[in-house]
């Protein structure tokens, strides 16, 4: 079963629902009338009462509130809390990573933090949050003054946009910087608790201080290199909570010595805004939604054998112009598309509401990878026109 909610449902997810006739509930008035055949809350609740191995997927964490209210008799609220709350998550994996430094601090106590007691540099992020909202790297005392101010501004804006369950600004996690390259991947646990990995993506950054979500990519080479290690990690993780019939989106770093440290695990979904699962499908022809809901384990040997050698990227066009979105009258999507050899899908987003101009999926030959490196560092200023006053 599927719960659909704002901010975005992709064409691919809608097509998957129709093709496989997955029972679907719209928890956020996000589907146009007559667009999909929908069911009511009672049918999902009854299904879970009748069948302990029921599975539910949501495209958005906005639906978490619905799950907590309607499926409290299942294990789902327990699973959600241990991952959604990043402090609970660090406690959960403390046995796997005994030397890892983390500390909880309340928003109102930011000024009381003693810097000389913290590892420098460090990361601060909301205990409950998503996207890169409120995530900051602090390198020195001056930086800390700047970051505290930024956090206060960000959370004033965000609470008007998102439910309190999604952005709970009261508590923050301070933790040591995790070294290495960053990866994201989708996975699920079957009815026996076995981990199934549904794709591997690398998260690129423009600089040491960059914490944005601008570029993720996948390729045959990448999946082949990291799939066994990621599967083992997910299996070990699942055994800490005895997870079953549950989907997750995981972010990790792997250092030069090959040591993996998790950044976070997002419950009940794959990448937000229908991103990572859709990118995996474009690159591999695998349908992660179908795999989870129909209990299918990918034959990775066959998939890799049939894949091409190109690089498939997700480009998130966040507003990096330093011009407030409310003051931008136009974004030049055509000019953007002309910068890429093979744009696969462009999703235009209401940037005045979400401060994201859109999302672009591309296919790039290895020898043209500079087009991805260029958009990674671009401030996008040449693609926008400011409102005239």
């Amino acid at each position: 079963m599927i719960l659909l909610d704002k901010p975005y449902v992709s064409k691919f997810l809608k097509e998957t629902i129709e093709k496989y006739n997955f029972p679907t509930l719209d928890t956020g008035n996000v589907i146009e009338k007559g667009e999909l055949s929908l069911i009511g809350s009672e049918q999902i609740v009854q299904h879970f009462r009748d069948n302990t191995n029921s599975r539910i997927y949501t495209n958005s964490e906005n639906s978490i509130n619905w799950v907590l209210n309607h499926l409290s008799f299942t294990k789902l609220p327990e699973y959600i809390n241990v991952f959604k709350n990043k402090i609970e998550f660090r406690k959960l994996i403390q046995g796997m990573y005994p030397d890892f430094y983390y500390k909880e601090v309340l928003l109102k106590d930011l000024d009381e933090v003693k810097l000389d007691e913290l590892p420098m540099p460090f990361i601060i992020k909301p205990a409950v949050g998503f996207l890169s909202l409120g995530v900051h790297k602090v390198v020195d005392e001056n930086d800390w003054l700047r970051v505290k101010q930024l956090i206060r501004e960000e959370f004033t804006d965000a609470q008007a946009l998102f439910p309190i369950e999604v952005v709970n600004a009261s508590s923050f996690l301070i933790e040591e910087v995790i070294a290495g390259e960053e990866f994201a991947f989708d996975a699920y646990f079957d009815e026996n608790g076995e981990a199934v990995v549904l794709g591997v993506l690398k998260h690129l950054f423009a600089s040491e201080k960059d914490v944005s979500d601008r570029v993720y990519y996948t390729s045959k080479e990448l999946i082949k290199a990291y799939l066994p290690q990621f599967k083992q990690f997910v299996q070990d993780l699942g055994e800490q909570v005895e997870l079953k019939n549950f989907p997750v989106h995981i972010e990790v770093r792997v250092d030069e010595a090959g040591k993996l440290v998790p950044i976070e695990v997002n419950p009940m979904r794959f990448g937000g805004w229908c991103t990572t699962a859709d990118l995996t499908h474009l690159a591999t022809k695998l349908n992660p939604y179908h795999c989870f809901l129909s209990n299918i384990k990918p034959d990775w040997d066959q998939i890799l054998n049939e894949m091409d050698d190109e690089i498939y990227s997700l480009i998130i066009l966040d507003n990096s112009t330093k011009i407030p979105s409310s003051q931008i009258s136009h974004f030049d999507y055509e000019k953007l598309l002309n910068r890429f050899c093979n744009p696969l899908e462009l999703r235009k987003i209401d940037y005045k509401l979400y401060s994201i101009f859109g999302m672009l999926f591309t296919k790039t030959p290895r020898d043209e990878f500079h087009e991805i490196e260029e958009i990674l560092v671009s401030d996008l200023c040449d693609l926008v026109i400011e409102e005239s006053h």
Side-chain angles (χ1 to χ4, degrees), residues 102 109 112 167 262:
Y102 71 92
D109 296 335
E112 313 301 314
V167 185

Side-chain angles (χ1 to χ4, degrees), residues 95-113:
M96 293 167 73
Y97 299 92
D99 302 327
F100 189 82
Y101 179 91
Y102 71 92
K103 171 188 174 72
E104 181 177 12
V105 60
L106 299 177
L107 183 67
K108 64 182 179 62
D109 296 335
L110 285 179
D111 288 330
E112 313 301 314
V113 170

